Amino acid sequence: MREHKSLPLPSWEGGGGRGQASQARKGRGNSLAIITGGAKGIGLAIARRLAADGASIALLGRDTAALETAAAELNARQATVDVTNAEALRDTILALGPCDILVNNAGAAVSNPFTRHTLDDFQSMLAVNLLSAVTACQCALPVMRARGFGRIVNIASTAGLKGYPYVSAYVTAKHALIGFTRALALETVKHGITVNAVCPGFTDTGMVTRSAANIAAATGRSEQEARAQLASANPAGRLIQPEEVAAAVAFLCRPDSGAITGQAIVVAGGEM
């Protein structure tokens, strides 16, 4: 695992579930934030925002070149890992050391009519969108509980709150992620740990670019027309910007956001 300069971890006082550590009350300075899928799109925007707020950043993902570029920009640690490989993900997170903030952002979508979806499609969507978050939480929670503080944010989707056609496997996985978020929040709240989901609408990222290309190929429309179709789901008539999603995540990671847990925060310009 190639690393950039390692920033110090926080010095904690107290712990054992008895409220937040004193440094956490003062701010996020030196808190370690691990972000999966952190090299691009929403994940990179989150990393930039948390770094600006004073957190030390560790980026995980599959694209080594993009990770190295992002890590150099943010003076962050980084590791190339396939989050669907539970053993590799577990080893990577444990090697990074204790974290105070975990953002499960890695995700993917596959589009097909249900009659053309395979069982493998459902299994792969669950692996990346749900089970990677489960594995990461299993790694991060023991130390968070011992310290009496932690912030976990799962990046879900409006597809976790309503249905969309042709993406039934993706919708299933995102609904499951929100259910996991709500259940885990109830188990951790007495330990100073919050668990929330952020649910973006169509966001101006590579995933939307690929979706627009698929729509264009299937319908004969231009990619610009396809993007406009996706943006029309937002009452404002535009795509959500990654930085807008990052702002919601940053709020949930604040030390003084401890009363907000088990929530699915929609960032979709009024779509829901």
Side-chain angles (χ1 to χ4, degrees), residues 31-52:
S31 295
L32 176 62
I34 294 177
I35 304 165
T36 68
K40 302 175 183 177
I42 290 173
L44 180 55
I46 292 168
R48 286 170 172 160
R49 177 60 184 265
L50 293 181

Side-chain angles (χ1 to χ4, degrees), residues 50-97:
L50 293 181
D53 286 352
S56 174
I57 304 298
L59 305 173
L60 307 186
R62 293 186 300 177
D63 188 331
T64 300
L67 283 167
E68 291 178 344
T69 298
E73 173 192 337
L74 299 173
N75 194 27
R77 286 180 275 181
Q78 56 86 15
T80 303
V81 63
D82 180 352
V83 298
T84 66
N85 183 327
E87 182 178 359
L89 179 59
R90 186 179 300 111
D91 290 346
T92 299
I93 292 176
L94 293 177
L96 288 168

Side-chain angles (χ1 to χ4, degrees), residues 68-130:
E68 291 178 344
T69 298
E73 173 192 337
L74 299 173
N75 194 27
R77 286 180 275 181
Q78 56 86 15
T80 303
V81 63
D82 180 352
V83 298
T84 66
N85 183 327
E87 182 178 359
L89 179 59
R90 186 179 300 111
D91 290 346
T92 299
I93 292 176
L94 293 177
L96 288 168
C99 71
D100 316 294
I101 298 169
L102 171 64
V103 181
N104 291 306
N105 170 71
V110 61
S111 177
N112 264 322
F114 175 71
T115 53
R116 290 171 52 194
H117 264 322
T118 66
L119 185 59
D120 284 345
D121 288 335
F122 278 84
Q123 290 172 334
S124 66
M125 289 297 94
L126 289 169
V128 67
N129 293 300
L130 171 66

Side-chain angles (χ1 to χ4, degrees), residues 210-234:
R210 291 188 293 273
S211 295
N214 290 337
I215 292 171
T219 65
R221 301 175 186 172
S222 69
E223 289 193 22
Q224 183 176 2
E225 290 171 328
R227 285 174 64 87
Q229 176 187 338
L230 296 175
S232 68
N234 183 331

Side-chain angles (χ1 to χ4, degrees), residues 236-259:
R238 65 175 180 85
L239 297 174
I240 300 299
Q241 294 304 303
E243 293 76 15
E244 294 175 304
V245 182
V249 173
F251 173 76
L252 293 171
C253 291
R254 289 172 54 95
D256 56 1
S257 293

